[in-house]
Amino acid sequence: MFWNIFKTNLKCFVRNRQLMFWSMAFPLILGTFFHLAFSGLASNEVFRRIPVAVVESPEFEADAIFRQVLETVSAEDRPDALLKVTYADREEAERRLAAGEVDGIIDYAPGLGMTVLQSGINQTILKGFLDDFLQTVKTAETVIAKDPLKALDVMADLNRRETYLRDAPVNPNVKNPYVTYFYTLIAMACLYGGFLGLRVVTHISADMSPHGMRVSVTPTHKMKLFVSCMAAAVAVQLVEITVLMIYLTGILGVDFGGQILSIAAACAAGSLCGAAFGAMIGCVVRGGEWAKTGVLVGSTMLLCYMAGMMSMHVRYEIARGAPAAALLNPANLLCDAFYSLYFGLGQARYGRNILLLLALTAAFSLIAYGKLRRQKYASL
């Protein structure tokens, strides 16, 4: 009986063109648009030293600390050099700035400051560099004024990098930061398995479809009916996710950094959670199939938005301000599992996300089955 119900529902899902479009074709189309939008951006973001003109003046010559800092951040033999410094008088510096040869001018007029013609990334970095230097000097001066005996300790802490930072290994396969948006696309595709889960509820609920009326009068146990239908939904969803991954990696050339088996396991967990989420929406939300579909689409897009599909800044703000919401968001959990693989954040974080996804799947499934099990009809 299980296999008969499984195969029948499998055929029903595959033959439903509207269902196949939204659960399989739409993610493929969106993935194509992502590729057109993000391809080549990473290669254009190679950092180059910022050209800057420094005005030579008595004040500059008298500031030995700043001159030493400039020599350090512009050293030719340093791979992480920040600036490309040109020393000139005021007139020559302004000419270079007007000609676009430098992005800014550093001078003392009367205090340490900068002159730019436009705003941009380089100008912002240059301003941050000067602000950091001035803040460090101000801190040292304040400490010396209040307690000269601690001056050496403070300066040692300010110059000791390991006091504030800890080196962490990064996956050497990381090549494209924009791959995170493709991860949100995969998460959305997994949650779109909710369309299949919703269709399962429609097929076994007598008040939602003629098919549900016929099923309800059969002697098949609700548990067996629900499990066999959900198994067919998950099977179709897994095939759709496989097609999406093959399309993204094989045709569009998106590099996910290896670890295919771990990525496949995360996709499987996401597909289970998506189908269970759709079944729960179908049981909990009142109204017809179109109303339930609207709630499913809206909630799925909201979860993907919170996971950073439109802006990664949103995901970070939610994780910082509402960590509980991030832990209860299946799209965010799936994306975080992918991030832990791609950026080398550790298997512990990956495993925690997968376990939380499975826990949400169990909760959604229990809620859906509990609602279906209690359904009673006066007449059919």
Side-chain angles (χ1 to χ4, degrees):
M1 179 64 71
F2 176 88
W3 289 110
N4 186 35
I5 299 174
F6 176 84
K7 289 186 292 184
T8 301
N9 279 273
L10 206 62
K11 294 177 183 178
C12 292
F13 291 141
V14 173
R15 292 172 181 174
N16 190 317
R17 295 181 179 179
Q18 183 179 8
L19 193 63
M20 289 296 100
F21 172 81
W22 288 109
S23 59
M24 184 171 70
F26 181 71
L28 295 176
I29 295 172
L30 195 56
T32 303
F33 287 140
F34 275 20
H35 177 69
L36 294 175
F38 299 133
S39 60
L41 288 182
S43 60
N44 293 331
E45 291 192 351
V46 178
F47 180 77
R48 295 178 177 84
R49 293 192 301 164
I50 301 172
V52 60
V54 177
V55 176
E56 294 179 308
S57 64
E59 293 85 357
F60 172 70
E61 295 297 333
D63 195 340
I65 296 177
F66 184 63
R67 285 192 287 109
Q68 182 179 358
V69 170
L70 274 183
E71 292 175 0
T72 302
V73 299
S74 62
E76 294 286 346
D77 57 344
R78 292 190 56 169
D80 58 345
L82 178 67
L83 303 179
K84 182 179 181 181
V85 177
T86 300
Y87 297 96
D89 56 27
R90 181 70 191 183
E91 183 178 350
E92 175 65 14
E94 291 179 349
R95 186 195 67 79
R96 289 177 175 270
L97 181 63
E101 298 177 7
V102 296
D103 292 327
I105 299 174
I106 297 177
D107 66 342
Y108 286 78
L112 181 62
M114 59 178 286
T115 303
V116 296
L117 291 181
Q118 60 184 0
S119 60
I121 295 177
N122 286 354
Q123 288 79 5
T124 302
I125 295 175
L126 185 59
K127 182 179 185 301
F129 162 70
L130 291 179
D131 289 344
D132 184 65
F133 172 78
L134 292 173
Q135 183 179 9
T136 302
V137 172
K138 185 64 175 179
T139 301
E141 290 176 348
T142 302
V143 172
I144 292 173
K146 291 185 177 180
D147 191 349
L149 297 178
K150 293 184 178 180
L152 294 177
D153 294 335
V154 172
M155 293 304 299
D157 284 341
L158 291 173
N159 292 321
R160 195 161 52 235
R161 177 177 178 269
E162 58 269 19
T163 302
Y164 304 102
L165 302 177
R166 176 176 59 86
D167 290 332
V170 178
N171 187 350
N173 294 320
V174 173
K175 298 178 181 178
N176 184 4
Y178 295 104
V179 77
T180 55
Y181 288 97
F182 287 97
Y183 283 141
T184 61
L185 171 66
I186 298 172
M188 185 202 73
C190 289
L191 290 186
Y192 268 18
F195 290 117
L196 300 168
L198 176 59
R199 186 52 58 94
V200 167
V201 174
T202 303
H203 279 188
I204 62 179
S205 298
D207 59 341
M208 292 187 64
S209 67
H211 185 277
M213 294 181 185
R214 293 192 295 271
V215 170
S216 296
V217 298
T218 63
T220 307
H221 194 276
K222 277 289 181 67
M223 173 63 80
K224 181 183 292 185
L225 189 63
F226 179 71
V227 171
S228 57
C229 292
M230 288 297 292
V234 172
V236 173
Q237 178 65 13
L238 288 175
V239 172
E240 293 173 343
I241 293 298
T242 302
V243 172
L244 176 63
M245 292 300 298
I246 293 174
Y247 179 73
L248 292 177
T249 57
I251 298 179
L252 298 184
V254 180
D255 187 359
F256 291 109
Q259 305 188 65
I260 298 300
L261 292 179
S262 296
I263 292 176
C267 289
S271 298
L272 285 169
C273 192
F277 179 68
M280 184 195 68
I281 293 293
C283 294
V284 173
V285 176
R286 296 181 179 274
E289 184 177 1
W290 284 106
K292 298 175 188 289
T293 302
V295 172
L296 176 62
V297 172
S299 57
T300 299
M301 296 313 299
L302 177 61
L303 292 175
C304 292
Y305 170 76
M306 294 170 63
M309 189 171 197
M310 290 72 177
S311 172
M312 284 295 140
H313 179 72
V314 174
R315 176 178 180 270
Y316 300 141
E317 288 298 322
I318 292 176
R320 184 180 65 177
L327 292 176
L328 294 176
N329 182 352
N332 182 70
L333 293 175
L334 188 55
C335 289
D336 198 64
F338 291 139
Y339 298 158
S340 63
L341 295 175
Y342 189 68
F343 294 106
L345 303 180
Q347 290 294 324
R349 181 168 175 173
Y350 169 82
R352 183 200 68 180
N353 288 304
I354 298 301
L355 289 176
L356 287 173
L357 272 173
L358 294 177
L360 287 177
T361 301
F364 295 154
S365 300
L366 289 174
I367 293 173
Y369 176 70
K371 289 286 185 178
L372 289 172
R373 185 171 176 270
R374 290 194 298 269
Q375 284 182 348
K376 302 293 182 181
Y377 304 101
S379 61
L380 295 175

